[in-house]
């Protein structure tokens, strides 16, 4: 049995975005101020906590949009509160959950071009999903988790794993 790109992408992003929501809840309950969270980073050249949440959220939205050939919801990336970060994550989750399986027709071989300063990446859809989009999403999710742990928020592995898909 093959795992369709729709199933793999949406289930991966849905789980991770729900994990982010749980991390934001734990951050609220931790007693840390938003100012402390906004400055949380593991190294001086690393993006801080809110950017990790933004980039994970963007990664999920943009991946689904690129695979389906649809525009994805944009945000200003200027969230100044945990509630605003939560709204961004919820926007991403709603977009992922609304993805029509039929829109993924041909996504495995759809050309995906990414352009960054000094970097040009050209993928077919399946390679984009498995070698870039999901690892990038998981990196930012893991960094958000690690930053909270580093700041003393009580988190465990189950908080990162989220809802398990059991048979």
């Amino acid at each position: 049995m093959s795992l369709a790109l729709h199933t793999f992408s949406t289930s991966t992003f849905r789980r991770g975005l729900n994990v982010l929501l749980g991390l934001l809840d734990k951050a609220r309950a931790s007693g840390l101020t938003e100012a402390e969270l906004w400055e949380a980073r593991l190294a001086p050249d690393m993006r801080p906590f809110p950017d990790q949440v933004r980039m994970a959220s963007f990664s999920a939205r943009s991946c689904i949009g690129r695979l389906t050939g649809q525009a994805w919801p944009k945000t200003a990336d200027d969230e100044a509160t945990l509630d605003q970060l939560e709204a961004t994550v919820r926007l991403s989750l709603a977009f992922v959950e609304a993805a029509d399986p039929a829109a993924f027709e041909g996504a495995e071989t759809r050309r995906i071009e990414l352009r960054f300063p000094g970097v040009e990446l050209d993928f077919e859809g399946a390679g984009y999903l498995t070698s870039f989009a999901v690892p990038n999403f998981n990196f930012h999710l893991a960094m958000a988790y690690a930053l909270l742990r580093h700041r003393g928020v009580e988190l465990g592995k189950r908080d990162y794993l989220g809802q398990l898909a059991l048979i």
Side-chain angles (χ1 to χ4, degrees):
M1 176 175 96
S2 68
L3 188 60
L5 258 60
H6 168 267
T7 302
F8 178 69
S9 62
T10 59
S11 63
T12 298
F13 296 135
R14 188 178 326 110
R15 180 205 60 82
L17 291 166
N18 278 308
V19 165
L20 270 179
L21 292 173
L23 295 179
L24 292 172
D25 285 344
K26 294 270 186 149
R28 277 187 193 93
S30 72
L32 292 171
T33 67
E34 287 175 339
E36 290 171 309
L37 291 169
W38 260 240
E39 293 303 316
R41 58 183 86 219
L42 296 176
D45 65 343
M46 180 182 199
R47 295 206 179 223
F49 175 75
D51 286 350
Q52 302 300 332
V53 174
R54 290 177 189 124
M55 291 164 30
S57 297
F58 172 78
S59 294
R61 289 191 314 271
S62 64
C63 178
I64 297 301
R66 288 180 176 116
L67 289 176
T68 61
Q70 300 173 13
W72 57 87
K74 306 293 194 273
T75 61
D77 292 334
D78 61 357
E79 299 88 351
T81 67
L82 287 170
D83 288 344
Q84 290 172 343
L85 276 180
E86 180 180 334
T88 295
V89 175
R90 290 194 182 283
L91 172 76
S92 300
L93 184 57
F95 183 70
V96 168
E97 289 177 335
D100 181 0
F104 285 80
E105 186 68 33
E108 293 85 357
T109 58
R110 181 169 285 127
R111 185 178 171 129
I112 308 288
E113 299 176 4
L114 301 179
R115 303 291 178 255
F116 306 107
V119 179
E120 295 183 6
L121 302 171
D122 295 305
F123 297 96
E124 285 193 345
Y128 163 69
L129 176 66
T130 60
S131 70
F132 183 83
V134 168
N136 188 57
F137 174 78
N138 284 327
F139 172 82
H140 293 295
L141 175 61
M143 290 305 101
Y145 172 91
L147 288 166
L148 292 179
R149 282 286 308 220
H150 183 67
R151 289 294 185 146
V153 177
E154 290 188 32
L155 296 169
K157 188 174 183 178
R158 288 282 305 150
D159 294 299
Y160 180 81
L161 291 177
Q163 179 64 44
L164 303 177
L166 305 174
I167 50 175

